[in-house]
Amino acid sequence: MTNEARRAERAARSRKTAGQPLWRQRDFGFFWLAQTLSVLGDSFSLIALPLLVLQATGSVARMGLLTAVGGVAMVLAAVFAGVVVDRVDRRRLLIGCDLVRMVLYGLVPLVWLAGPQLWLLYVVLPLCEAVGMLFAVGYVTVVRGLVDVTRLTEANGRVNATAAAAGVLGPLGAGLVAAWAGPADAVAVDAASYAVSAALLLFVQVRERTGDDRPAERRGVWHDLRTGVGYLVRHPVLRSVTGLLAVFSFLSLGINDLLIYHLKHDLGRDDGTVGTVMAIGAVGTVTGALLVARLRRRLGFGPTWIGTTTLCGLAFAGLGWVRTVPAVALLGAVYLACVGMAGTCSMSLRQEITPEPLLGRVTAAHWTLQYSLAPIGAAVLTWAAERYGTAPVAAAAGACCSLIAVAGLGTPIRTAAAREQP
């Protein structure tokens, strides 16, 4: 079959499925399933890696240091991720990223057979975070190539909802596996999930870029980087969202370490309880993902983003003070529901208003700026929690997160429309 025939076949399929429910669209369905299974595995490492560090050192500061190192790698990768994504075959990039992470995470349980090797985590996690950033930027652009632009918020919400549903089972399974066989074996589940995700992506066909959607003439890496940053900075809403999220991420990147430390150290709970609390929290993400499209249609982008981000901060502020497991789980669920809604709104807006040839670079520029200070924040947050306790540190950080969201009332975010042009 010639390239022209393939393009014609894909165009015909796109027209045929445009009005169908998302779950009946073949390419989106395979992509949707691949991401759900991948997140199921991710949720194992989300718990298992901090538990490995805590098991070996007993220190929340060391947990935060690992998070910070991974965050630095993520930021550095984000600088170039958009350039790479806008220049290569995106489906092949996603498959390659899955396979690389399968190999890297698979090393952890193998090496751990000889005993704890913390140095390996400081090698594997940064590499996986860097590859994961490439995957994340590619994911945003692939969704744009699978569904109509008017259904982006719905598509993102559906993917996030089922991913969060997998996140309910993942922490439960991770907690049970960690309690029964050890955290290293839980990491092995994550490695296997990437293999399945890569296999499913082989069945996905992404709409080819044609005409105005094709990348512009290549003028060098630094020119491409400046192009992405320039578009982001010139757009008043995207600029405001990125600036506020940079401070929010500085304060909140270490929240997962803080939550695990609070349950294990302050409340004296076991690994199974940690997994259960994280699973209940993921129910909040499912709820938020299912509600976000309807809420945004009713309230608009600005009120939805500001309101949900404010609630994130309030839930964060209370996490360290509550002393019962159900209360911790409830606040965790509220936090994850609201952060999921705010994140889906932000990503959907960028997909809607950014020209397709720039989408990878603009997404990468956004995440580079958003997380540029976050690794430092994670290290500071966990160090402060170990020195002063989780309650006052969580209260201060959460209150500041809410104030950051309220500050959005004084920016163009407050009146942002759904598909506003710069």
Side-chain angles (χ1 to χ4, degrees):
M1 183 182 293
T2 64
N3 290 335
E4 291 76 9
R6 290 191 184 95
R7 284 195 290 268
E9 180 184 352
R10 291 171 187 173
R13 182 191 302 170
S14 179
R15 289 191 298 270
K16 181 179 179 181
T17 60
Q20 292 181 346
L22 291 176
W23 63 270
R24 293 187 60 188
Q25 297 183 22
R26 175 186 176 277
D27 292 325
F28 181 77
F30 275 111
F31 178 80
W32 192 354
L33 180 59
Q35 297 319 295
T36 301
L37 293 176
S38 182
V39 171
L40 178 64
D42 279 341
S43 59
F44 272 69
S45 288
L46 181 69
I47 294 176
L49 292 180
L51 285 176
L52 283 173
V53 177
L54 191 62
Q55 184 184 72
T57 68
S59 170
V60 67
R62 294 290 295 273
M63 295 166 64
L65 180 61
L66 180 63
T67 300
V69 171
V72 169
M74 181 176 62
V75 171
L76 292 177
V79 173
F80 300 99
V83 177
V84 174
V85 168
D86 284 341
R87 291 188 175 194
V88 303
D89 183 295
R90 292 164 175 174
R91 185 181 71 108
R92 292 179 181 176
L93 176 67
L94 297 188
I95 293 172
C97 289
D98 273 342
L99 294 177
V100 169
R101 288 183 290 180
M102 175 194 72
V103 172
L104 290 173
Y105 277 126
L107 289 174
V108 173
L110 291 176
V111 173
W112 234 256
L113 292 174
Q117 304 290 333
L118 286 180
W119 63 269
L120 180 64
L121 301 184
Y122 287 93
V123 174
V124 167
L125 184 63
L127 290 175
C128 286
E129 290 289 352
V131 174
M133 176 54 70
L134 277 174
F135 185 95
V137 176
Y139 154 79
V140 172
T141 61
V142 165
V143 172
R144 169 81 171 257
L146 291 175
V147 301
D148 186 79
V149 68
T150 60
R151 306 185 73 178
L152 283 171
T153 300
E154 179 188 357
N156 290 325
R158 293 295 182 269
V159 171
N160 290 342
T162 53
V168 174
L169 299 176
L172 284 172
L176 292 175
V177 172
W180 177 59
D185 287 343
V187 180
V189 177
D190 192 15
S193 74
Y194 287 122
V196 178
S197 176
L200 289 171
L201 288 172
L202 291 172
F203 296 95
V204 176
Q205 293 184 349
V206 181
R207 187 169 59 241
E208 292 186 8
R209 292 173 282 185
T210 59
D212 293 337
D213 286 345
R214 288 176 179 167
E217 180 183 354
R218 299 178 184 178
R219 300 181 180 179
V221 173
W222 293 111
H223 176 272
D224 286 350
L225 292 174
R226 291 195 301 271
T227 301
V229 174
Y231 184 91
L232 189 71
V233 170
R234 286 193 303 272
H235 195 289
V237 178
L238 296 183
R239 180 178 64 242
S240 301
V241 169
T242 302
L244 293 178
L245 283 177
V247 185
F248 184 93
S249 298
F250 172 84
L251 294 165
S252 63
L253 183 62
I255 188 173
N256 188 58
D257 296 328
L258 212 65
L259 177 61
I260 293 174
Y261 184 73
H262 182 53
L263 289 168
K264 294 278 291 182
H265 180 267
D266 299 341
L267 303 185
R269 302 296 178 169
D270 59 14
D271 292 350
T273 302
V274 173
T276 302
V277 169
M278 298 294 284
I280 294 172
V283 174
T285 306
V286 176
T287 304
L290 293 175
L291 293 177
V292 62
R294 183 181 305 173
L295 191 63
R296 185 183 171 192
R297 282 195 300 268
R298 176 171 296 184
L299 301 180
F301 171 82
T304 302
W305 188 88
I306 292 171
T308 53
T309 306
T310 301
L311 288 177
C312 284
L314 295 177
F316 186 5
L319 274 175
W321 291 103
V322 293
R323 308 299 298 180
T324 64
V325 171
V328 173
L330 176 61
L331 288 178
V334 172
Y335 177 87
L336 290 175
C338 292
V339 80
M341 286 191 283
T344 299
C345 282
S346 174
M347 180 169 64
S348 299
L349 185 72
R350 287 197 310 278
Q351 290 170 319
E352 291 164 356
I353 64 181
T354 303
E356 207 280 342
L358 292 176
L359 186 55
R361 281 165 283 177
V362 171
T363 299
H366 169 81
W367 282 337
T368 299
L369 296 174
Q370 176 182 343
Y371 292 109
S372 57
L373 299 177
I376 300 173
V380 171
L381 185 76
T382 52
W383 169 84
E386 188 165 272
R387 183 177 180 86
Y388 301 108
T390 53
V393 172
C400 290
C401 287
S402 292
L403 291 175
I404 291 164
V406 172
L409 293 172
T411 72
I413 296 173
R414 181 173 60 88
T415 57
R419 280 181 286 278
E420 184 176 344
Q421 295 298 325

